[in-house]
Amino acid sequence: MSRTRTRWRLSLTATALLAASFLAPAPVNAAAEGTTAEDVTAEDTTDYAITVDPRTAGARIDDTMYGVFFEDINRAADGGLYAELVQNRSFEYSKADNGSYTSLTSWTTTGAAKTADDDGRLNARNRTYLALDGGSSVTNSGYNTGISVEKGKVYDFSVWARAEGRSALTVTLQDADGELAEARRVTARGGWAKYTARFTATRTSATGRLTVAAGSPVALDMISLIPRDTYKGHGLRKDLAQKIAALDPAFVRFPGGCLVNTGSMQDYSEASNWERKRSYQWKDTVGPVEQRPTNANVWGYNQSYGLGYHEYFQFSEDIGAMPLPVVPALVTGCGQNRAVDDEALLQRHIQDTLDLIEYANGPVTSEWGRKRAKAGHPKPFHLTHLAVGNEENLPNEYFERFKKFRAAIEAKYPDITVISNSGPDDSGSTFDTAWKLNREANVDMVDEHYYNSPQWFLQNNDRYDSYDRKGPKVFLGEYASQGNTFKNALSEAAFMTGLERNADIVKLASYAPLLANEDYVQWRPDLIWFNNHASWNSANYEVQKLFMRNVGDRVVPSTATGTPSLSGPITGAVGLSTWATTAAYDDVSVTGADGAALLSDDFSGDASKWTHTGGGSWSVQDGQYVQSDVAAENTMVSAGDPAWHDYDLHVKATKKSGKEGFLVAFGVKDTGNYYWWNLGGWNNTQSAVEQAVDGGKSTLVSKAGSIETGRAYDIDIKVRGRQVTLLLDGQEWGSFTDDKPAEPFRQVVTKDKKTGDLIVKVVNAQAADARTAIDLGGAKVRPKAGVTTLAAAPDAVNTETEAPVTPVTSTFSGVADRFTYTFPANSVTFLRIRKG
């Protein structure tokens, strides 16, 4: 998960999937779903045709094809999948986690109560505790609206306490309307010890509060309330775990993401001065929970590590999925971009990785296998795949370290597949360099990540068609279009047909991220949404579930007709913008291909030619057009005619201050549809041309590089038809041709070896029905097929209270060697055709 892509986290507006220049055929004599082959006369016509070749063996589909990626983002762990109901249970929150935090965040106190960090603590790795005087109390507010309980359910309370003599503790659970369960009393005595109690909820409430009151002075730590009823009894919130399990994922990638390759690579010890901003290191997260340190989460909150590596392994086993951990490579990413040069530290991390494999697979007689057994799991977890690093943007430095990890792992555990990666984007200089290094080193598998617009996913169904069949395999570890509407899910479904068609290259794929608590969101879109009392499936979830549960074992080669290609030149006005930066622009000119002047502005007067559609503060200062709000993002101003085409744009731009560089736009149709050359983006580490379609962006070309503050740059953009050439200070920086069609009709056919079923999967991502002639190539089939259909309005979104995107099952009785089927507008359809 790349933290630098803030500008890509945009919700899509309610517009059609296809640009106006696409031509979508209207259905002619469209047959009803129940139409049989005999009902179709010679005068009937079809809009599309699918031809299947059952006699040719296509790519074998591994049973690990689709899985899930879990990262603690959007409160996915604490306040999410981890069933703990008490927030900040060990009083470890600090400003290192979030500038607004204190050790009493989520707590209120009465009487004399204060937190302490001294030698009286519970243990060295759990450094802060609460001291309560007699007659004082402390109350926790949980997550979201409060602590959620359900009538009749049992909740286990525990606390670690230390008292000089004896201290009676009264524990209550209530909301604004009164008691939610009968109060409980425990008596603490002597040194630190764990005390427990059990509550049975008498009412259902999502606004509960847990209070611990002391009769006499006492020290408290690790105050906990967990439902007795967790997923398979292993401490995970049941509804969320069940939704993940219902996907039937083949693997679980964990724990990140940016958690893995950001922050300090030091450990949590006196030697590091108890470093709080650390990369996710697995040894911090196993063993008794009261001995696990907390850590600053890169997404702006605290992670308790109550959900740690042992729990990830256990959950993977519980849902029948392969565990796939990711370990730090000692090159930071997600906008930090630092290579750690400390050989001793590198070797420690390599040894930690070897120890991790032993923890997962070692016998109980081994050091780490014994610790796994002590945690309650004597049998191995059967780890087979492990990834080193995540989205490193320094490919040479990353790969130098990756090779050392791989050599050490292969020497001791030759059966482990060690996975490399290709950086944070689908293309560009980092991607190209990383792939070159991976190919040259004969790496087994490369992890690719990308978050792009629906248009990009519709345009790139063929992405893996041209990959080297003898090179490394692909793990698509993170991907998503930029929204949770049904049209986003449709574009992802269309792309997934290409993943399956290329199953000899793409061996693993997981949508990202998995979970989002609606009140703590750092990233959109997300697969499963929830709050403290409910959870619901996104439209994207429903697509993922259909594909995961209808994979098949082998691709059956098939071809399909398509819709007309994109035509006409790139058209649009021009624009200027900034992102968390102040900048000055001057000498703007737009000249037609025939030499005619379309726009000229040296800002010697006012800025009346420009329309301000974004944020920020623009004004003419000393003959320049200046955006002066350093915190503002997406500050677009535009000028000209949206019908302009075939022109040359010249701009002089100067960065004045801030995190990034500047942005020059062309082909501007409106606020959600344009191209811009983003110079010095991603915290001033790279430049790229991005295309915005309906608010979602995709990168068309990118290169590493930064923009100097105070230096004036000459920027020239030449637009000819659909070809664009970009020049920086008179030198060609790059070029591209935007002529790939966003094909709305995609299909793939697979075969289920166990049942013999042909599974015909069709995506129709347009507003017209697709009446389709299907030729099964002589396959012997039964006349009836099971049908599962997802169909909804393009902008439909599932919520806590409504689920307009829900699969519908039916039966189709018209199957034959050749038959016609009408796929509804805006739909994903799975036909399971039985062997005859």
Side-chain angles (χ1 to χ4, degrees):
M1 183 71 61
S2 175
R3 194 184 189 196
T4 60
R5 299 192 203 105
T6 305
R7 66 173 56 90
W8 292 0
R9 296 175 221 149
L10 304 172
S11 60
L12 300 182
T13 56
T15 55
L17 260 173
L18 304 180
S21 53
F22 293 165
L23 300 176
V28 179
N29 297 328
E33 184 173 305
T35 302
T36 65
E38 289 74 15
D39 293 328
V40 182
T41 69
E43 296 178 356
D44 287 328
T45 59
T46 58
D47 306 311
Y48 293 94
I50 297 173
T51 303
V52 183
D53 181 9
R55 293 175 177 81
T56 301
R60 185 174 66 86
I61 305 174
D62 290 355
D63 57 9
T64 55
M65 181 70 180
Y66 294 121
V68 294
F69 163 51
F70 183 93
E71 178 176 9
D72 189 358
I73 184 173
N74 311 313
R75 289 285 188 184
D78 297 322
L81 185 60
Y82 183 40
E84 175 63 68
L85 299 175
V86 176
Q87 184 175 178
N88 189 19
R89 66 181 176 190
S90 60
F91 308 100
E92 297 293 325
Y93 278 26
S94 80
K95 293 188 182 301
D97 310 320
N98 186 297
S100 66
Y101 281 2
T102 72
S103 55
L104 284 173
T105 293
S106 297
W107 295 96
T108 56
T109 62
T110 63
K114 64 179 181 179
T115 56
D117 177 1
D118 57 30
D119 291 342
R121 63 178 65 88
L122 177 60
N123 59 64
R125 292 162 69 81
N126 194 330
R127 301 190 63 77
T128 307
Y129 63 95
L130 178 73
L132 277 183
D133 275 359
S136 302
S137 68
V138 61
T139 299
N140 191 266
S141 57
Y143 297 93
N144 301 94
T145 55
I147 291 174
S148 180
V149 296
E150 186 178 345
K151 182 179 179 179
K153 292 294 181 70
V154 176
Y155 298 85
D156 291 319
F157 167 83
S158 64
V159 62
W160 283 78
R162 172 175 56 79
E164 292 296 330
R166 296 163 59 92
S167 181
L169 303 178
T170 302
V171 188
T172 57
L173 187 59
Q174 56 189 7
D175 62 11
D177 294 327
E179 188 178 81
L180 291 170
E182 184 180 345
R184 292 289 183 251
R185 289 174 177 80
V186 297
T187 301
R189 58 176 67 84
W192 285 107
K194 184 178 181 180
Y195 301 90
T196 63
R198 185 180 71 180
F199 287 98
T200 300
T202 55
R203 288 190 294 113
T204 295
S205 175
T207 58
R209 298 291 187 268
L210 178 74
T211 299
V212 180
S216 56
V218 66
L220 304 176
D221 208 344
M222 295 295 293
I223 300 176
S224 172
L225 187 69
I226 295 181
R228 175 72 58 86
D229 186 18
T230 61
Y231 187 70
K232 297 198 174 182
H234 290 140
L236 302 186
R237 180 171 152 175
K238 198 169 185 178
D239 63 325
L240 294 180
Q242 286 174 333
K243 287 184 184 302
I244 298 168
L247 290 167
D248 196 19
F251 65 87
V252 179
R253 175 178 178 250
F254 62 88
C258 287
L259 303 183
V260 170
N261 67 338
T262 53
S264 169
M265 299 294 165
Q266 299 293 333
D267 63 0
Y268 189 66
S269 67
E270 187 175 6
S272 70
N273 196 28
W274 308 105
E275 175 61 63
R276 282 295 294 269
K277 294 186 176 183
R278 309 183 307 285
S279 63
Y280 197 110
Q281 298 175 44
W282 79 273
K283 288 182 178 178
D284 286 344
T285 75
V286 296
V289 292
E290 68 273 8
Q291 295 176 17
R292 301 180 189 180
T294 66
N295 197 11
N297 184 308
V298 70
W299 299 107
Y301 55 92
N302 176 276
Q303 50 193 338
S304 75
Y305 287 152
L307 176 54
Y309 256 76
H310 186 88
E311 289 76 23
Y312 288 126
F313 280 129
Q314 182 68 70
F315 180 55
S316 299
E317 181 179 87
D318 285 345
I319 64 175
M322 175 182 79
L324 203 165
V326 185
V327 299
L330 272 72
V331 178
T332 61
C334 302
Q336 296 183 359
N337 299 336
R338 296 190 308 270
V340 179
D341 291 316
D342 184 330
E343 187 62 26
L345 185 59
L346 175 63
Q347 291 303 319
R348 193 267 285 175
H349 276 266
I350 291 173
Q351 185 59 51
D352 281 354
T353 303
L354 297 176
D355 293 343
L356 170 61
I357 299 170
E358 183 175 288
Y359 186 91
N361 295 348
V364 295
T365 54
S366 67
E367 176 186 0
W368 289 97
R370 184 164 53 252
K371 292 182 178 180
R372 181 193 68 241
K374 188 176 180 180
H377 200 283
K379 293 182 179 180
F381 282 118
H382 304 296
L383 175 66
T384 60
H385 292 63
L386 183 144
V388 177
N390 170 77
E391 293 188 5
E392 284 73 25
N393 206 34
L394 300 173
N396 291 298
E397 293 85 343
Y398 161 74
F399 207 74
E400 177 186 345
R401 291 154 179 79
F402 170 82
K403 288 189 296 184
K404 294 181 179 180
F405 276 88
R406 184 176 69 163
I409 295 168
E410 289 183 345
K412 190 170 184 179
Y413 300 105
D415 293 335
I416 297 291
T417 298
V418 186
I419 302 171
S420 178
N421 74 76
S422 59
D425 297 304
D426 62 271
S427 60
S429 58
T430 295
F431 179 88
D432 293 340
T433 300
W435 259 104
K436 178 176 182 293
L437 294 168
N438 284 311
R439 282 192 296 267
E440 290 173 350
N442 197 29
V443 167
D444 289 332
M445 190 174 290
V446 178
D447 187 5
E448 292 190 353
H449 296 177
Y450 36 82
Y451 297 88
N452 290 322
S453 69
Q455 168 124 338
W456 185 94
F457 282 96
L458 292 176
Q459 288 176 320
N460 284 276
N461 176 275
D462 63 349
R463 174 179 176 87
Y464 297 105
D465 290 4
S466 59
Y467 271 51
D468 181 2
R469 265 44 205 175
K470 296 181 180 179
K473 304 306 181 184
V474 171
F475 170 24
L476 181 50
E478 298 183 29
Y479 73 98
S481 71
Q482 293 151 351
N484 278 140
T485 68
F486 188 48
K487 68 183 171 190
N488 293 100
L490 282 171
S491 71
E492 292 155 5
F495 188 73
M496 292 171 78
T497 66
L499 299 183
E500 291 192 5
R501 189 177 64 252
N502 289 284
D504 58 326
I505 292 293
V506 182
K507 294 298 183 181
L508 309 166
S510 50
Y511 179 102
L514 179 61
L515 293 171
N517 185 318
E518 65 174 348
D519 291 334
Y520 309 93
V521 180
Q522 293 86 42
W523 186 280
R524 299 172 187 270
D526 303 284
L527 203 61
I528 301 169
W529 288 82
F530 65 93
N531 51 39
N532 65 348
H533 63 277
S535 57
W536 55 98
N537 305 332
S538 67
N540 319 67
Y541 174 99
E542 298 297 351
V543 162
Q544 292 290 323
K545 184 176 179 180
L546 278 178
F547 275 87
M548 288 192 204
R549 299 182 75 89
N550 294 277
V551 182
D553 304 286
R554 188 173 290 277
V555 175
V556 181
S558 61
T559 58
T561 54
T563 49
S565 300
L566 184 69
S567 61
I570 292 174
T571 60
V574 299
L576 310 170
S577 191
T578 60
W579 201 284
T581 306
T582 65
Y585 294 92
D586 203 358
D587 298 336
V588 179
S589 65
V590 181
T591 307
D594 59 0
L598 303 177
L599 173 69
S600 180
D601 200 337
D602 63 3
F603 303 106
S604 57
D606 57 26
S608 57
K609 298 176 182 178
W610 298 84
T611 300
H612 186 187
T613 56
S617 177
W618 289 88
S619 62
V620 174
Q621 300 177 20
D622 300 324
Q624 296 180 311
Y625 201 18
V626 178
Q627 197 295 109
S628 56
D629 184 348
V630 73
E633 300 177 344
N634 196 9
T635 65
M636 179 85 82
V637 292
S638 61
D641 188 338
W644 281 352
H645 61 89
D646 297 293
Y647 55 76
D648 297 338
L649 166 62
H650 173 79
V651 180
K652 190 178 289 292
T654 305
K655 172 183 175 178
K656 296 172 72 69
S657 66
K659 297 178 180 178
E660 304 206 349
F662 34 74
L663 304 107
V664 178
F666 56 98
V668 179
K669 292 184 173 62
D670 53 45
T671 56
N673 294 275
Y674 54 84
Y675 303 80
W676 66 19
W677 188 4
N678 182 354
L679 289 136
W682 297 269
N683 289 328
N684 205 15
T685 61
Q686 61 179 306
S687 298
V689 176
E690 297 176 279
Q691 180 185 16
V693 177
D694 299 339
K697 294 188 182 69
S698 300
T699 300
L700 302 181
V701 58
S702 67
K703 292 183 179 180
S706 59
I707 293 298
E708 297 176 25
T709 301
R711 175 183 166 187
Y713 290 84
D714 283 305
I715 297 166
D716 291 277
I717 301 173
K718 297 180 180 296
V719 182
R720 295 293 185 273
R722 304 205 68 79
Q723 169 78 31
V724 178
T725 304
L726 306 110
L727 296 94
L728 186 62
D729 287 338
Q731 301 295 313
E732 184 171 329
W733 177 89
S735 63
F736 67 92
T737 302
D738 181 24
D739 60 356
K740 294 188 73 173
E743 174 58 61
F745 185 83
R746 295 292 189 184
Q747 59 81 36
V748 71
V749 181
T750 64
K751 185 173 183 178
D752 187 323
K753 182 179 179 180
K754 183 177 180 180
T755 64
D757 291 355
L758 286 177
I759 311 172
V760 180
K761 313 169 192 184
V762 177
V763 181
N764 182 28
Q766 59 185 327
D769 291 348
R771 184 167 178 265
T772 305
I774 300 175
D775 183 346
L776 296 180
K780 301 298 183 182
V781 295
R782 297 182 187 180
K784 288 187 177 182
V787 184
T788 305
T789 306
L790 273 179
D795 297 301
V797 176
N798 288 350
T799 67
E800 181 182 352
T801 56
E802 295 183 295
V805 184
T806 300
V808 175
T809 58
S810 60
T811 301
F812 176 63
S813 301
V815 178
D817 178 37
R818 296 182 180 182
F819 67 100
T820 297
Y821 191 92
T822 299
F823 296 97
N826 300 307
S827 69
V828 183
T829 304
F830 285 69
L831 294 171
R832 291 195 72 112
I833 299 173
R834 301 298 302 276
K835 181 179 178 181

